[in-house]
Amino acid sequence: MSEPLTGQVNSGDIFIWASYIISAVTLGGLALWTAGKLTGAKKRLNMLNSHETEKTSED
Amino acid sequence: MFSTFANPHRFLALSKWLMPLFAVLGAIIVATGWAWAFFFVPEELYQGATAKIMYIHVPAAMVSLAAYASMAVCSLLFLTLKHSIADVAAKSAAPVAAALSFICLVTGSLWGRPTWGTYWVWDARLTSMLFQLFLILGYMALRSAFQREQDAARAGAILCLVGAVNLPIIKFSVEWWNTLHQPAGFITLGGSSYAPEFYWPLWYNLIGIGLVFGALMMAAMRAEIFNRQYEAKLARMNRSAA
């Protein structure tokens, strides 16, 4: 039996949940990836800086 | 004025406190904004509860367009003024713009299924938005294809500027063509057609996503500047050792 055509949307909870979950995962993933990139870049530069300082003091 | 802020050291000093501020504020606003929309905003008369998807979809769409526009402006500044920080900004905005375009398309599709009866139609608004996502992914792929950063920056900037022609197409597609996607109603020249109980939570979420974009872009810019400083220092050390 088909539902009467009222022009109103009466379902869609799964789509609402899916929208919020997918968006949270995408933004969270991007935030983690960016934070990892920033930490890695900072660490690499600090290592080079300390290596350079050691070398200068040895010279 | 741009030259004043285009100094990497000045940017690093400024973003050191601005980035965490944007990140914390953005996270709080997005979390509370989504909770507001999910639990407290009333159901819309015709769309029912599915209208709650709009509190993610609309801010993601608007900020992704703004992100691409900022990439285009930075690309133009890089090509004309040769400021490397402009290239850093364009490169750093790309992944965030891509993620927001993806969220916009997915949430729009998930809203379309119960409302329109289909996940996807090849109408002008949806297709031009999908094209923007491909354009950003293409921009990122093109940049990574070059060995020299200068070549990558120039090629990326040209592609980004050419792709900027898509921005007005996305914006005005719902007016220029007969589309299934509804015309703009949130922010228009004649005022908003939204009732206050829908209008303010949408603004709140838009500010939250804007702050998150700012924080992620600044973090990515900082990482890129550190990487470039590392490469430059390494090259200098290798030269002096040779």
Side-chain angles (χ1 to χ4, degrees), chain B residues 206-227:
Chain B
L206 179 62
I207 292 167
I209 291 292
L211 287 169
V212 167
F213 164 69
L216 290 172
M217 185 175 162
M218 275 189 275
M221 282 179 75
R222 286 176 69 82
E224 183 64 22
I225 290 171
F226 290 143
N227 277 333

Side-chain angles (χ1 to χ4, degrees), chain A residues 7-9 11 15-17 19-20 23-24 26-27 30-31 33-34 38 41-42 44-45 48-49 51-52, chain B residues 37-38 45-47 49-50 52-53 56 103 107 110 113 119 216 219 222-223 226-227 229-231 233 237:
Chain A
Q8 290 170 318
V9 180
S11 61
F15 298 103
I16 303 167
W17 277 104
S19 293
Y20 279 78
S23 304
T26 307
L27 284 179
L30 181 68
W33 178 70
T34 310
L38 177 58
K42 213 187 274 183
R44 218 161 62 125
L45 184 64
L48 192 68
N49 280 339
H51 177 74
E52 193 185 33
Chain B
F38 201 94
L45 179 62
Y46 292 107
Q47 296 173 36
T50 54
K52 293 176 191 296
I53 296 173
I56 306 175
I103 289 172
T107 54
L110 287 167
R113 182 68 187 86
Y119 286 107
L216 290 172
R222 286 176 69 82
F226 290 143
N227 277 333
Q229 285 179 344
Y230 173 86
E231 297 294 342
K233 194 163 270 188
M237 283 168 74

Side-chain angles (χ1 to χ4, degrees), chain B:
Chain B
M1 193 188 85
F2 176 75
S3 298
T4 314
F5 292 104
N7 181 316
H9 295 289
R10 200 164 290 146
F11 170 78
L12 286 175
L14 185 72
S15 63
K16 196 173 183 177
W17 62 270
L18 208 56
M19 183 198 72
L21 182 72
F22 272 43
V24 171
L25 275 178
I28 291 171
I29 292 178
V30 167
T32 52
W34 285 8
W36 184 4
F38 201 94
F39 297 110
F40 303 109
V41 171
E43 291 189 4
E44 205 267 345
L45 179 62
Y46 292 107
Q47 296 173 36
T50 54
K52 293 176 191 296
I53 296 173
M54 289 300 113
Y55 299 94
I56 306 175
H57 175 75
V58 176
M62 292 178 83
V63 178
S64 77
L65 288 184
Y68 193 90
S70 72
M71 282 171 66
V73 170
C74 289
S75 297
L76 183 67
L77 287 172
F78 171 73
L79 288 175
T80 52
L81 301 177
K82 304 280 175 219
H83 271 301
S84 65
I85 195 100
D87 173 55
V88 169
K91 185 182 179 183
S92 305
V96 197
L100 290 172
S101 302
F102 171 76
I103 289 172
C104 167
L105 287 165
V106 170
T107 54
S109 190
L110 287 167
W111 176 86
R113 182 68 187 86
T115 314
W116 293 340
T118 180
Y119 286 107
W120 186 263
V121 283
W122 291 101
D123 96 348
R125 172 59 72 83
L126 277 70
T127 309
S128 54
M129 195 66 202
L130 181 67
F131 182 68
Q132 175 175 280
L133 175 62
F134 289 158
L135 203 59
I136 301 167
L137 295 177
Y139 170 86
M140 290 160 68
L142 178 70
R143 288 196 68 119
S144 63
F146 286 91
Q147 288 237 312
R148 283 184 63 229
E149 195 61 53
Q150 277 299 102
D151 297 337
R154 204 183 349 259
I158 292 168
L159 175 66
C160 184
L161 279 177
V162 171
V165 76
N166 192 42
L167 285 175
I169 295 176
I170 298 174
K171 173 77 183 99
F172 297 109
S173 54
V174 287
E175 292 167 28
W176 292 342
W177 294 288
N178 190 11
T179 59
L180 186 57
H181 193 288
Q182 61 272 44
F186 174 44
I187 301 171
T188 60
L189 287 175
S192 178
S193 61
Y194 284 37
E197 48 272 60
F198 303 117
Y199 181 75
W200 293 113
L202 201 47
W203 256 114
Y204 189 73
N205 276 292
L206 179 62
I207 292 167
I209 291 292
L211 287 169
V212 167
F213 164 69
L216 290 172
M217 185 175 162
M218 275 189 275
M221 282 179 75
R222 286 176 69 82
E224 183 64 22
I225 290 171
F226 290 143
N227 277 333
R228 289 185 185 192
Q229 285 179 344
Y230 173 86
E231 297 294 342
K233 194 163 270 188
L234 195 66
R236 208 166 46 237
M237 283 168 74
N238 286 340
R239 265 201 310 272
S240 62

